[in-house]
């Protein structure tokens, strides 16, 4: 029998509410700052109620402005670059990981486990070790300032391969045997049986990898030198001018809010599938 302790319940909810407030307050301040003028933000104390400049600020950053000292590239273009990069990285990681895990589990070839663990060991290599040689290859192939340069080096995923391999190992062998008896080839079995069974895992990984691709900063910083290829996360930093130059913090905050929206929308729309996929992966 579960005991009900009202005091403990109240304390638990208070802790949860406090945690939400701590996380949400900076987002609220950012939203409020994006609705004021640059002069109002730098005044002390800063206003904590929304202003009347919301439409002007957001339209200015979406189409670009030459008012600030930092980058004036259109944020609409930056968000398009980020969206293409995030979708390509997420879908590419899932596709390659599915196929590699399928090959490792269902095909018998020499050194199968060796190749799998070779893939898995790449998780131990820090980004700093791989980023120099990867940049050299991308540069030699002429992929700087291109979508291919932003996405192709980030598509491979040892983590996703490992997760799909573990899931495929739980699929009963009788399904593969039944498909073989019915005359289905390997790819027909993969497409008609394994993919439908993997949809919740795919959904969970899509959310994770989309956010991973959207939040990329270090790699785009190396492979992009043109403003029209800046992703939005990098664009926020470029909008902040160095030295004593005055920054348009209202426009920077508006850009930050716009940068938060796509990942938040993806999480909200796929929350049920995301949680279900994580739970089934644990099983």
């Amino acid at each position: 029998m579960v005991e009900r302790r009202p005091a403990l319940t109240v304390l638990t909810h208070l802790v949860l509410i406090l945690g939400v407030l701590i996380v949400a307050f900076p987002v609220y301040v950012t939203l409020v700052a994006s609705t004021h003028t640059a002069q109002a933000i730098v005044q002390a104390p800063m206003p904590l109620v929304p202003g009347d400049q919301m439409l002007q600020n957001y339209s200015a950053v979406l189409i670009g402005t030459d008012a600030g000292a930092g980058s004036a590239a259109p944020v609409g273009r930056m968000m398009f670059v980020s969206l293409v990069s995030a979708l390509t990285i997420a879908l590419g990681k899932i596709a390659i990981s599915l196929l590699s895990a399928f090959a490792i589990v269902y095909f018998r070839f020499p050194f199968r486990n060796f190749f799998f663990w070779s893939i898995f060991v790449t998780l131990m290599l820090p980004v700093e070790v791989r980023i120099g040689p990867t940049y050299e290859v991308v540069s030699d192939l002429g992929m700087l300032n291109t979508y291919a340069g932003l996405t192709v080096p980030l598509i491979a995923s040892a983590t996703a391969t490992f997760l799909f391999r573990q899931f495929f190992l739980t699929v009963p062998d009788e399904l593969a045997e039944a498909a073989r008896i019915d005359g289905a080839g390997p790819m027909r079995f993969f497409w008609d049986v394994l993919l439908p069974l993997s949809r919740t895992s795919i959904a969970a990984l899509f959310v994770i990898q989309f956010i991973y691709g959207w939040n990329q900063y270090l790699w785009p910083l190396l492979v992009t030198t043109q403003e029209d290829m800046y992703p939005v996360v990098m664009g926020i930093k470029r909008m902040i001018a160095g030295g004593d130059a005055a920054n348009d913090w209202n426009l920077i905050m508006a850009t930050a809010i716009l940068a938060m929206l796509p990942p938040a929308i993806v999480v909200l729309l796929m929350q049920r599938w995301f949680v279900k996929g994580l739970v089934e992966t644990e099983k």
Side-chain angles (χ1 to χ4, degrees):
M1 182 177 180
V2 179
E3 295 186 22
R4 295 187 178 182
R5 301 179 180 178
L8 184 59
T9 302
V10 171
L11 178 62
T12 302
H13 283 79
L14 288 177
V15 172
L16 290 174
I17 292 172
L18 179 61
V20 170
L21 291 177
I22 292 174
V23 173
F25 183 71
V27 179
Y28 174 76
V29 171
T30 304
L31 178 62
V32 170
S34 68
T35 63
H36 287 280
T37 62
Q39 294 75 19
I41 296 175
V42 297
Q43 292 178 355
M46 173 187 157
L48 290 180
V49 294
D52 58 355
Q53 298 295 311
M54 182 175 183
L55 292 179
Q56 294 87 333
N57 290 341
Y58 282 89
S59 61
V61 297
L62 285 173
I63 64 176
T65 175
D66 297 327
S71 173
V75 174
R77 169 67 183 179
M78 295 181 189
M79 294 187 69
F80 177 77
V81 173
S82 291
L83 181 63
V84 171
S85 300
L87 287 175
T88 303
I89 291 171
L91 297 177
K93 280 179 177 287
I94 291 172
I96 292 176
S97 300
L98 277 168
L99 291 173
S100 58
F102 174 63
I104 290 170
V105 173
Y106 289 99
F107 287 85
R108 303 292 184 265
F109 54 89
F111 305 108
R112 180 180 57 165
N113 288 329
F114 170 78
F115 288 117
F116 167 70
W117 288 110
S118 297
I119 296 172
F120 191 70
V121 164
T122 59
L123 291 173
M124 302 179 185
L125 297 176
V127 176
E128 292 76 12
V129 173
R130 296 179 282 114
I131 204 165
T134 305
Y135 176 81
E136 183 68 21
V137 172
V138 170
S139 178
D140 292 343
L141 293 176
M143 294 166 60
L144 300 179
N145 293 306
T146 64
Y147 289 108
L150 284 170
T151 58
V152 171
L154 303 176
I155 282 180
S157 174
T159 303
T161 302
F162 175 75
L163 291 177
F164 283 125
R165 173 186 177 269
Q166 297 304 109
F167 174 74
F168 289 164
L169 289 175
T170 64
V171 176
D173 294 335
E174 288 78 6
L175 286 178
E177 187 65 27
R180 192 178 300 111
I181 293 173
D182 290 340
M187 294 310 299
R188 182 68 179 273
F189 171 70
F190 173 77
W191 188 261
D192 290 344
V193 178
L194 289 182
L195 276 186
L197 292 175
S198 306
R199 62 183 183 274
T200 54
S201 299
I202 292 173
L205 279 171
F206 176 81
V207 174
I208 296 171
Q209 300 301 340
F210 180 88
I211 296 174
Y212 165 82
W214 184 272
N215 290 334
Q216 282 296 311
Y217 174 76
L218 179 59
W219 180 247
L221 183 65
L222 293 177
V223 298
T224 57
T225 58
Q226 300 174 1
E227 286 194 340
D228 61 346
M229 289 304 297
Y230 287 171
V232 67
V233 175
M234 181 178 167
I236 295 173
K237 177 63 177 68
R238 293 292 188 180
M239 293 176 70
I240 303 175
D244 296 326
N247 294 309
D248 291 326
W249 288 107
N250 56 332
L251 303 184
I252 295 172
M253 295 301 176
T255 305
I257 290 295
L258 291 173
M260 297 180 199
L261 289 179
I265 292 173
V266 169
V267 172
L268 289 176
L269 292 179
M270 302 189 66
Q271 182 179 10
R272 183 172 65 87
W273 288 92
F274 176 69
V275 175
K276 188 177 180 180
L278 291 180
V279 172
E280 290 189 357
T281 301
E282 289 296 326
K283 292 181 180 179

